PDB file of all heavy atoms in Angstrom:
ATOM      1  N   ASN O  72      65.231 -98.104  93.657  1.00 97.00           N
ATOM      2  CA  ASN O  72      65.665 -97.198  92.600  1.00 97.00           C
ATOM      3  C   ASN O  72      66.869 -96.381  93.068  1.00 97.00           C
ATOM      4  O   ASN O  72      66.861 -95.850  94.179  1.00 97.00           O
ATOM      5  CB  ASN O  72      64.504 -96.263  92.222  1.00 97.00           C
ATOM      6  CG  ASN O  72      64.796 -95.460  90.990  1.00 97.00           C
ATOM      7  OD1 ASN O  72      65.723 -94.658  90.951  1.00 97.00           O
ATOM      8  ND2 ASN O  72      64.000 -95.679  89.961  1.00 97.00           N
ATOM      9  N   PRO O  73      67.911 -96.273  92.225  1.00 95.00           N
ATOM     10  CA  PRO O  73      69.100 -95.512  92.626  1.00 95.00           C
ATOM     11  C   PRO O  73      68.813 -94.031  92.889  1.00 95.00           C
ATOM     12  O   PRO O  73      69.600 -93.368  93.562  1.00 95.00           O
ATOM     13  CB  PRO O  73      70.069 -95.690  91.456  1.00 95.00           C
ATOM     14  CG  PRO O  73      69.310 -96.327  90.362  1.00 95.00           C
ATOM     15  CD  PRO O  73      68.049 -96.896  90.924  1.00 95.00           C
ATOM     16  N   ASN O  74      67.687 -93.524  92.391  1.00 96.00           N
ATOM     17  CA  ASN O  74      67.321 -92.125  92.630  1.00 96.00           C
ATOM     18  C   ASN O  74      66.401 -91.953  93.837  1.00 96.00           C
ATOM     19  O   ASN O  74      65.917 -90.849  94.086  1.00 96.00           O
ATOM     20  CB  ASN O  74      66.663 -91.518  91.385  1.00 96.00           C
ATOM     21  CG  ASN O  74      67.655 -91.312  90.268  1.00 96.00           C
ATOM     22  OD1 ASN O  74      68.844 -91.096  90.504  1.00 96.00           O
ATOM     23  ND2 ASN O  74      67.191 -91.400  89.039  1.00 96.00           N
ATOM     24  N   ALA O  75      66.178 -93.008  94.596  1.00 96.00           N
ATOM     25  CA  ALA O  75      65.291 -92.922  95.769  1.00 96.00           C
ATOM     26  C   ALA O  75      65.787 -91.870  96.762  1.00 96.00           C
ATOM     27  O   ALA O  75      64.975 -91.228  97.433  1.00 96.00           O
ATOM     28  CB  ALA O  75      65.164 -94.278  96.448  1.00 96.00           C
ATOM     29  N   HIS O  76      67.092 -91.682  96.826  1.00 94.00           N
ATOM     30  CA  HIS O  76      67.637 -90.687  97.769  1.00 94.00           C
ATOM     31  C   HIS O  76      67.189 -89.262  97.435  1.00 94.00           C
ATOM     32  O   HIS O  76      67.308 -88.366  98.268  1.00 94.00           O
ATOM     33  CB  HIS O  76      69.176 -90.760  97.789  1.00 94.00           C
ATOM     34  CG  HIS O  76      69.804 -90.266  96.526  1.00 94.00           C
ATOM     35  ND1 HIS O  76      69.912 -91.051  95.398  1.00 94.00           N
ATOM     36  CD2 HIS O  76      70.319 -89.061  96.214  1.00 94.00           C
ATOM     37  CE1 HIS O  76      70.478 -90.335  94.440  1.00 94.00           C
ATOM     38  NE2 HIS O  76      70.739 -89.123  94.902  1.00 94.00           N
ATOM     39  N   LEU O  77      66.638 -89.063  96.245  1.00 95.00           N
ATOM     40  CA  LEU O  77      66.134 -87.744  95.854  1.00 95.00           C
ATOM     41  C   LEU O  77      64.765 -87.441  96.468  1.00 95.00           C
ATOM     42  O   LEU O  77      64.273 -86.322  96.362  1.00 95.00           O
ATOM     43  CB  LEU O  77      66.051 -87.632  94.324  1.00 95.00           C
ATOM     44  CG  LEU O  77      67.374 -87.794  93.569  1.00 95.00           C
ATOM     45  CD1 LEU O  77      67.136 -87.807  92.069  1.00 95.00           C
ATOM     46  CD2 LEU O  77      68.354 -86.700  93.959  1.00 95.00           C
ATOM     47  N   ILE O  78      64.161 -88.440  97.108  1.00 96.00           N
ATOM     48  CA  ILE O  78      62.864 -88.237  97.769  1.00 96.00           C
ATOM     49  C   ILE O  78      63.139 -87.527  99.091  1.00 96.00           C
ATOM     50  O   ILE O  78      63.831 -88.054  99.949  1.00 96.00           O
ATOM     51  CB  ILE O  78      62.145 -89.585  98.012  1.00 96.00           C
ATOM     52  CG1 ILE O  78      61.930 -90.323  96.698  1.00 96.00           C
ATOM     53  CG2 ILE O  78      60.821 -89.354  98.741  1.00 96.00           C
ATOM     54  CD1 ILE O  78      61.495 -91.770  96.867  1.00 96.00           C
ATOM     55  N   THR O  79      62.609 -86.336  99.203  1.00 95.00           N
ATOM     56  CA  THR O  79      62.817 -85.539 100.410  1.00 95.00           C
ATOM     57  C   THR O  79      61.492 -84.949 100.871  1.00 95.00           C
ATOM     58  O   THR O  79      60.508 -84.961 100.137  1.00 95.00           O
ATOM     59  CB  THR O  79      63.825 -84.391 100.161  1.00 95.00           C
ATOM     60  OG1 THR O  79      63.301 -83.542  99.131  1.00 95.00           O
ATOM     61  CG2 THR O  79      65.191 -84.918  99.767  1.00 95.00           C
TER      62      THR O  79
END
Side-chain angles (χ1 to χ4, degrees):
N72 190 298
N74 289 331
H76 70 279
L77 299 174
I78 302 168
T79 60

